[in-house]
Structures are given as C-alpha cells and as structure tokens.
C-alpha cells in the first residue's frame, strides 16, 4: 500500500541520515565489547546496538508518515512533498530555530557529542542490553534532531540536496569541536528565516 511505501521511504532516509552521526558510539561499543570478550565475558555484537538505534528512528518514521498523510489530506504538500503553506513553513522554521536553544536540545546534544561517556555510563551486558543501549541512544538522538527532520517538509522530503544538507548539519553539530555553537548560530538563522517567510 501507499502508506507502507512512504513508511519504508522515511525509515531508509532516517537510517541514511542518522547512522553516520551514531557511528562513533557504535564503534566504541564494538571496541569495548571485543576487549570484554577477550577477558572471557560473553561476546556481544554491536549490530544489536545499531538495531536498537534504528528501531527508535523507525518509530519516528511512523510518526512522520502520519504527519505527511495529514498534510496531504489537507492539500498542504506539493508533489516534491514540500509544504505549500507559508504559515506552516515559517512556523516550522521558527520552532526549529528556537528549539536549538532549549535545555532539552542542549542535554540531548551533550549525550550525542560524548559517545565514550554514553557507552561507559549506559553499558548493558548481552545482546538484549546492547539493544537497550541502542534504544536509549536513539531516543536521545530523536530528542536532539526531531525538529530538524521536520524541516524536510519545508525544503521538500523528495529533495536530495535538502536531505544531504540536513544530514551534514547533524553530523557537524554532533562531531565538530564547535558543533555546540554552530547549532545555536543555526537556531538564530532559522528563526530569522522563519520570520521572513511569515512576514
């Protein structure tokens, strides 16, 4: 059905956009798991961490699919899946910009920016534990990036340039030494852009 195709599209897109920024945490988990197995502890595959992480983004994809359906029913989307409403586009831009400055965003970003701390603090043994770690990290990442992902409806869900731009921003915000300040600066620009669209 159409809904299933859209859901799969969102899930694949979220995996492609978000896995690169989660790679440092998954690789650190793999290194630590290997060292622990060398000491005689049961071997754990880091695939379970990645699976947990992607499961959370699959849940987000379900919500995005429902939102897309709602916008389509309200005739607010172009064929490129870009909103045709200036009010909605401006509102999403302003909301995404303001969110960049909230304590919740900053707390989630701190977790995402320190993968070693995350792995050491939230280590769980076994495959089930690794999956739970992935779920937790995925939840933190959704908390960090959900409004940035809604910007896809502003630039066009089908626009490869827009998808690549957001993915690159997420990667730099999480991994660059100045990512913290870059995120706040982007917040100011998004609010200004949204204000211009609304006016």
């Amino acid at each position: 059905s159409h809904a299933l195709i859209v859901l799969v599209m969102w899930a694949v897109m979220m995996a492609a956009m978000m896995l690169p920024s989660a790679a440092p945490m998954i690789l650190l988990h793999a290194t630590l798991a290997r060292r622990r197995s060398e000491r005689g502890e049961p071997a754990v595959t880091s695939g379970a961490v990645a699976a947990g992480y992607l499961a959370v983004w699959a849940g987000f994809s379900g919500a995005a699919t429902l939102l897309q359906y709602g916008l389509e029913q309200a005739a607010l989307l172009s064929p490129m899946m870009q909103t045709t409403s200036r009010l909605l586009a401006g509102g999403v831009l302003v909301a995404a910009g303001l969110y960049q400055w909230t304590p919740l965003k900053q707390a989630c970003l701190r977790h995402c920016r320190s993968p070693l701390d995350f792995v050491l603090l939230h280590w769980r043994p076994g495959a089930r534990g690794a999956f739970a770690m992935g779920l937790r990290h995925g939840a933190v990442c959704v908390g960090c990036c959900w409004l940035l992902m809604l910007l896809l409806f502003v630039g066009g869900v089908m626009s490869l340039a827009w998808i690549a731009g957001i993915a690159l921003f997420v990667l730099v915000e999480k991994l660059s030494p100045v990512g913290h300040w870059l995120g706040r600066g982007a917040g100011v620009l998004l609010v200004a852009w949204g204000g211009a669209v609304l006016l």
Side-chain angles (χ1 to χ4, degrees):
S1 75
H2 175 65
L4 186 62
I5 292 167
V6 173
L7 175 61
V8 170
M9 176 203 75
W10 271 99
V12 170
M13 185 164 63
M14 290 300 100
M17 290 175 77
M18 297 308 301
L19 264 180
S21 69
M25 189 278 290
I26 295 167
L27 292 171
L28 277 168
H29 180 275
T31 303
L32 205 57
R34 192 169 62 248
R35 286 182 185 163
R36 285 177 176 236
S37 71
E38 284 166 3
R39 293 205 304 263
E41 293 182 31
V44 182
T45 170
S46 292
V49 179
Y53 182 80
L54 291 175
V56 176
W57 279 105
F60 175 85
S61 299
T65 300
L66 288 173
L67 178 60
Q68 184 174 323
Y69 175 76
L71 292 173
E72 282 173 352
Q73 293 304 301
L76 291 175
L77 284 185
S78 74
M80 284 292 283
M81 302 300 165
Q82 182 178 21
T83 181
T84 52
S85 162
R86 286 172 63 123
L87 190 65
L88 183 61
V92 171
L93 285 163
V94 169
L98 291 174
Y99 187 69
Q100 290 292 102
W101 285 80
T102 62
L104 177 60
K105 163 75 184 197
Q106 296 304 314
C108 291
L109 185 58
R110 271 196 301 278
H111 269 295
C112 289
R113 284 175 59 80
S114 45
L116 181 60
D117 285 354
F118 183 87
V119 171
L120 294 176
L121 279 172
H122 302 293
W123 181 270
R124 300 286 182 276
R128 188 178 291 179
F131 184 76
M133 282 178 72
L135 286 177
R136 187 172 193 131
H137 194 67
V140 167
C141 272
V142 168
C144 188
C145 301
W146 69 280
L147 261 164
L148 291 173
M149 294 304 150
L150 294 190
L151 291 174
L152 287 165
F153 288 113
V154 176
V157 175
M158 307 302 285
S159 164
L160 288 177
W162 196 243
I163 291 166
I166 293 175
L168 183 63
F169 175 79
V170 166
L171 195 63
V172 172
E173 186 183 40
K174 288 185 182 180
L175 304 184
S176 162
V178 294
H180 170 75
W181 295 109
L182 186 83
R184 292 191 171 203
V188 174
L189 291 174
L190 286 168
V191 169
W193 184 7
V197 169
L198 289 170
L199 295 172

